[in-house]
Amino acid sequence: MRPGDPGPSRDRGNSVAARAVPRAPGESQPRPPETTPTRFRPTLHPGAWWLWAISLGVAATRTTNPLLLALLLAASGYVVATHRSPAPWARSYTAFVRLALAVLLIRVLFAVALGSPIPGTHTLLTLPEVPLPHWAQGIRLGGRVTAEAVLFAAYDGLKLATLLVCVGAANALASPTRLLKSLPGALYETGVAVVVALTFAPHLIADVRRLRAARRLRGRPDRGLRGLLQVGLPVLEGALERSVALAAAMEARGYGRTAEVPARVRRTTAALTLGGLLGVCAGTYGLLTAEGGTYGLPVLLAGVLAALAGLRLGGRRSPRTRYRPDPWGAHAWLVTGSGAAVAALLTLASVRDPGALHPGVVPLVAPTLPLWPAAAVLLALLPAFAVPREPS
């Protein structure tokens, strides 16, 4: 570099970027650098991703049609592929997909081994039946396996697998540390514990991979019981050291300290929170049963309001401030609204046309794709096109 040449500038993430201006002929001193303001792109609120994923999970509970469930899986997977960050916690989506496949396989295996109450005429195979004592009436081990029972178990397992994948999508899209800032003060300590657990899990997986790779390079076994012990002990030791260091750092920063509140406020908080949770449970039970359809929604709304009031009062024990809180803008409303629209439309479709959303297995028929419920599921893809990707 020659004397007088401007040195390389570093981008420190500030809102103003400096640009050097060359010296004009006849000037004794260089001009001051021009400042060009850079636009700050707000990040999406992490709670919007969770509400979007929960709404897709609610939509998955309203149907057992494998075609609609496959559309839900494809929509959530595409949004995760377009908006997932390279952070370690975002890699949990693959683990949730594997867990969903395991749940689906276990559900089908249970139907094959333990039998199913679904009658059927298409026999796939006949397993040796194990005789059971008289007190185990209604339970069967082995016997005839029908295509209707296997298909019913596959539909049921696919619904549960879709729920797990939706939860995995929320974990991959929403930053747990940013979500912690949005929690009410009453749930702050619980949120800290959950965030610490979610943060440590990727580090454990990375430690296991690093140690196994190091043992393979040294020609030592990394599989079997011996390899598991020699890899697991260093991982456990590193996790304990990391947890002790984190506990000391949190203690030094005042985590866990609470403010003094009057006894009357504590009793009111406990009564509102407990009564609100009971109201939510009773209202949910009323909505799920035909007899409680009249009182279910009012009791549910009253329970939610009471629980929110209890959380608001309970936040007085944990006074804290938020540094740069995440705004809830138009993109957050769009993401939440798209998920809520999918849940509402599939719920309406399950009431108006239950046969299309719950295909029967007796008699054995192929499922069909209903048009307007499938179009409703496609609304879940709006975040992939309308929400800008956050900078990594």
Side-chain angles (χ1 to χ4, degrees), residues 47-308:
W49 287 123
W50 270 100
L51 292 176
W52 172 81
I54 290 174
S55 300
L56 295 188
V58 172
T61 61
R62 311 311 301 172
T63 179
T64 56
N65 191 320
L67 301 179
L68 291 177
L69 294 175
L71 278 179
L72 285 172
L73 291 173
S76 61
Y78 184 78
V79 174
V80 170
T82 55
H83 285 73
R84 181 171 58 175
S85 69
W89 47 264
R91 303 172 187 172
S92 61
Y93 183 74
T94 305
F96 275 93
V97 171
R98 293 176 180 175
L99 179 61
L101 292 176
V103 167
L104 176 59
L105 181 60
I106 291 173
R107 179 67 179 89
V108 174
L109 290 178
F110 274 14
V112 171
L114 302 179
S116 176
I118 303 299
T121 57
H122 298 78
T123 303
L124 296 178
L125 71 159
T126 302
L127 299 176
E129 188 170 355
V130 179
L132 297 176
H134 66 279
W135 49 266
Q137 295 294 329
I139 302 176
R140 179 173 60 86
L141 294 178
R144 191 167 61 97
V145 179
T146 62
E148 290 83 354
V150 173
L151 194 60
F152 178 81
Y155 288 172
D156 194 35
L158 184 60
K159 180 172 68 174
L160 183 56
T162 307
L163 286 173
L164 291 174
V165 171
C166 291
V167 175
N171 279 279
L173 294 171
S175 172
T177 55
R178 287 173 50 203
L179 185 63
L180 176 63
K181 295 194 304 182
S182 305
L183 289 178
L187 300 178
Y188 184 69
E189 295 179 357
T190 305
V192 168
V194 173
V195 168
V196 168
L198 292 177
T199 306
F200 268 42
H203 289 291
L204 292 177
I205 297 174
D207 289 344
V208 171
R209 292 178 178 176
R210 177 175 54 83
L211 290 172
R212 292 184 62 183
R215 291 185 62 83
R216 284 195 298 268
L217 290 175
R218 293 179 175 87
R220 299 177 182 177
D222 61 330
R223 299 181 182 275
L225 182 59
R226 182 180 178 183
L228 178 62
L229 292 177
Q230 295 185 359
V231 170
L233 291 179
V235 171
L236 181 60
E237 182 181 0
L240 290 177
E241 292 179 356
R242 195 180 297 117
S243 62
V244 170
L246 179 62
M250 293 176 66
E251 178 67 22
R253 288 167 175 79
Y255 280 88
R257 299 178 183 177
T258 58
E260 292 292 336
V261 294
R264 175 175 53 83
V265 176
R266 291 199 301 268
R267 289 193 293 266
T268 305
T269 301
L272 286 175
T273 305
L274 182 59
L277 293 178
L278 292 176
V280 168
C281 295
T284 305
Y285 177 78
L287 291 177
L288 294 177
T289 58
E291 294 81 4
T294 55
Y295 70 86
L297 185 59
V299 172
L300 178 62
L301 294 177
V304 169
L305 293 177
L308 291 177

Side-chain angles (χ1 to χ4, degrees), residues 21-31:
V21 180
R23 184 188 303 180
E27 290 184 349
S28 58
Q29 294 181 355
R31 299 178 186 176

Side-chain angles (χ1 to χ4, degrees), residues 10-29:
R10 297 182 180 178
D11 184 10
R12 301 182 182 273
N14 299 328
S15 60
V16 177
R19 181 169 61 89
V21 180
R23 184 188 303 180
E27 290 184 349
S28 58
Q29 294 181 355

Side-chain angles (χ1 to χ4, degrees), residues 41-44 49 82-83 331 334 382-391:
R41 182 165 58 184
T43 56
L44 186 68
W49 287 123
T82 55
H83 285 73
H331 289 150
L334 177 63
L382 283 178
F385 304 100
V387 177
R389 184 172 180 177
E390 299 180 3

